[in-house]
Amino acid sequence: MRQNWHSIREYESLRAMIVAGTTTAAAKQLGISQSAVSRSIANLEARIGNTLFIRSGGRLEPTAEALRLNEALDPIFVALSSIDQRASASSVRPQLRIGAPPTIAHQFLHSRMSSFMKLQPDYEVFFDVCDSDALIRNVADERYDMAIADFTTRQPGVKQVPFRRSRLVCLVPESSPLREKDTISAQDLVGHPIIASVKRHSLRASIDRMFARADVQPNIVAETATTVTALEFVRAGIGVGFVNPFPIAEAVGDGVVIKPVADEIEFRTCFLLPAGQAQSAGARALMRHIRTSVKNDIWSEAIT
């Protein structure tokens, strides 16, 4: 009879991979070998019957199944953390609990968190990566001290502090004749293959309205939940994609051209804070550190 044993090591490898993005970084985080991480993920995928990571641009991006499983594991790791807490309260290091969706985590926040931790070594940092819905719930439930998201929300229990403004852009394959245009409009894309966000994302609704106003039927050939995957599809020449340029513009690389869009659809990247608790000193320090670390670029601007 098949045994469906649960393995804490497999779950630890899953969480480390979601945050780190590579088996090498996850292995370093856990203090085990790279092969042990790969084996744990392979065993977990075989046991649950789902693919948990897909390769994209040299990183392993979590699938929706991986993010849902990671969220379901939260109570287990909260309980384990409670068991491991030191008896003496005076010896416990201050905690800083941070959350972000995959693109912001991997393309923007990793380097800022690393430099912050070097400057503030006293903090014990919990860094979680999850989808937008789970992110908002975790902030409202006070599981995070702070999160970063590329959207605004009216969710009760969540205070938002915008810090970056950007406008919709179109990612165009370098080989496409569209690269010669100064701006891209819906009419320019009649018949062109389009990489779209999945329907649950607010970006998809904005794009659908843009095409509806222009009376154009979009030729959607693929849908994706992450900006990084959309970028790689465009790089492969599958089609064009509409994205928030912050922070992905820094990592576009060869084979893709960024073009402004005629419809000025604005994004605001925000710090999300639990409205029901006082802002922690660690969250304030990290917010200052992030603000000062962002360089000026042509695709986004600071909100002061």
Side-chain angles (χ1 to χ4, degrees):
M1 183 176 67
R2 182 174 181 268
Q3 298 289 346
N4 194 27
W5 299 110
H6 292 273
S7 166
I8 293 298
R9 174 58 76 201
E10 291 174 3
Y11 295 151
E12 286 177 332
S13 296
L14 170 72
R15 292 168 82 84
M17 277 294 304
I18 288 176
V19 171
T22 67
T23 53
T24 301
K28 184 176 181 181
Q29 179 180 321
L30 294 174
I32 60 178
S33 68
Q34 182 178 349
S35 61
V37 172
S38 297
R39 189 165 53 251
S40 291
I41 296 299
N43 289 344
L44 186 55
E45 288 180 326
R47 187 155 55 80
I48 67 174
N50 280 316
T51 298
L52 297 175
F53 295 92
I54 57 174
R55 185 165 295 281
S56 175
R59 302 187 67 87
L60 289 170
E61 292 290 326
T63 62
E65 290 81 4
L67 295 174
R68 282 195 292 268
L69 177 56
N70 184 49
E71 183 185 358
L73 292 172
D74 282 347
I76 294 174
F77 282 91
V78 168
L80 291 173
S81 177
S82 178
I83 293 171
D84 289 340
Q85 281 182 353
R86 291 168 238 182
S88 172
S90 61
S91 66
V92 175
R93 298 166 64 190
Q95 289 190 334
L96 185 56
R97 303 163 298 168
I98 306 300
T103 298
I104 287 181
H106 296 152
Q107 301 297 327
F108 175 75
L109 197 51
H110 270 163
S111 59
R112 274 82 183 178
M113 288 299 303
S114 297
S115 57
F116 176 80
M117 291 164 67
K118 290 177 181 177
L119 293 170
Q120 302 278 359
D122 291 339
Y123 282 99
E124 179 181 351
V125 174
F126 170 79
F127 182 21
D128 194 16
V129 182
C130 59
D131 63 29
S132 300
D133 292 339
L135 193 79
I136 294 172
R137 287 197 302 271
N138 288 340
V139 173
D141 293 343
E142 301 181 7
R143 295 180 183 177
Y144 299 154
D145 297 300
M146 187 194 80
I148 299 181
D150 56 355
F151 56 81
T152 57
T153 178
R154 296 183 179 179
Q155 172 72 31
V158 176
K159 175 184 177 182
Q160 55 191 18
V161 180
F163 78 96
R164 205 76 189 170
R165 179 187 293 111
S166 52
R167 290 179 176 83
L168 181 71
V169 299
C170 186
L171 302 180
V172 176
E174 202 167 36
S175 59
S176 170
L178 291 171
R179 65 167 297 165
E180 302 301 328
K181 289 190 168 291
D182 292 330
T183 61
I184 301 295
S185 68
Q187 289 88 351
D188 294 327
L189 297 175
V190 173
H192 281 273
I194 296 169
I195 314 301
S197 300
V198 293
K199 291 182 179 180
R200 70 174 183 273
H201 283 193
S202 58
L203 173 58
R204 176 61 179 273
S206 297
I207 299 303
D208 287 347
R209 286 194 294 269
M210 180 181 75
F211 280 103
R213 286 194 297 269
D215 196 25
V216 171
Q217 181 64 39
N219 177 26
I220 296 173
V221 297
E223 298 182 355
T224 174
T226 70
T227 303
V228 172
T229 304
L231 170 62
E232 294 308 318
F233 282 171
V234 174
R235 195 189 314 281
I238 304 300
V240 304
F242 292 99
V243 300
N244 176 0
F246 183 81
I248 199 68
E250 295 181 356
V252 164
D254 296 334
V256 177
V257 179
I258 305 178
K259 290 293 181 179
V261 174
D263 286 55
E264 292 195 357
I265 297 172
E266 184 176 283
F267 302 92
R268 293 196 171 197
T269 301
C270 303
F271 299 116
L272 304 182
L273 305 164
Q277 69 179 27
Q279 189 178 338
S280 70
R284 289 197 301 273
L286 180 57
M287 288 166 64
R288 286 195 300 270
H289 180 73
I290 289 172
R291 284 184 185 275
T292 58
S293 73
V294 182
K295 298 178 181 178
N296 291 330
D297 63 60
I298 64 172
W299 303 112
S300 66
E301 60 186 10
I303 299 175
T304 56

